[in-house]
Amino acid sequence: MNETISCSTCRALCCKLEVRLIDDADEKIPEKFTEIVEDQYHVMKREDDGWCTCLNRETMLCTIYEIRPFLWRDYKEGDYDCIVERDKYFK
């Protein structure tokens, strides 16, 4: 892949990953966007097709970007995890 990796040109592939929420006061995600998995931990809710419920399907941008979960604020475009996910779709 020769293109520059940028969230603004990405196809929101990371928005299909399971995002566990850290039980921390820093997480201010509205409850309607979360769910409990296996009666153990909170995650970002996903639609039946796997996409995060916070993803605007027309713009492919996050509707809660400013308050997105800590793990997503720490997820950087072009970092190892980003490249691994992109490679699953583009190789």
Side-chain angles (χ1 to χ4, degrees):
M1 177 175 18
N2 293 329
E3 69 180 287
T4 300
I5 296 173
S6 166
C7 289
S8 64
T9 60
C10 187
R11 293 166 185 87
L13 299 175
C14 59
C15 295
K16 281 195 169 187
L17 301 176
E18 180 178 84
V19 179
R20 290 189 186 188
L21 300 174
I22 297 171
D23 192 13
D24 184 359
D26 192 35
E27 300 286 14
K28 295 179 174 81
I29 311 302
E31 237 180 271
K32 68 181 181 178
F33 295 126
T34 69
E35 63 186 345
I36 298 175
V37 175
E38 300 171 4
D39 293 326
Q40 295 181 14
Y41 53 92
H42 280 88
V43 297
M44 293 300 295
K45 192 181 293 184
R46 293 186 281 172
E47 301 290 345
D48 290 338
D49 61 2
W51 290 103
C52 177
T53 57
C54 297
L55 181 68
N56 178 315
R57 299 297 187 94
E58 292 179 23
T59 64
M60 296 305 280
L61 297 173
C62 180
T63 60
I64 63 161
Y65 187 81
E66 295 302 319
I67 60 167
R68 68 195 184 280
F70 171 78
L71 290 175
W72 256 205
R73 290 189 308 254
D74 194 45
Y75 194 95
K76 306 292 183 213
E77 64 187 48
D79 277 358
Y80 176 79
D81 293 328
C82 173
I83 292 169
V84 167
E85 287 307 311
R86 291 173 61 86
D87 283 351
K88 289 178 187 177
Y89 291 91
F90 298 118
K91 279 195 173 184

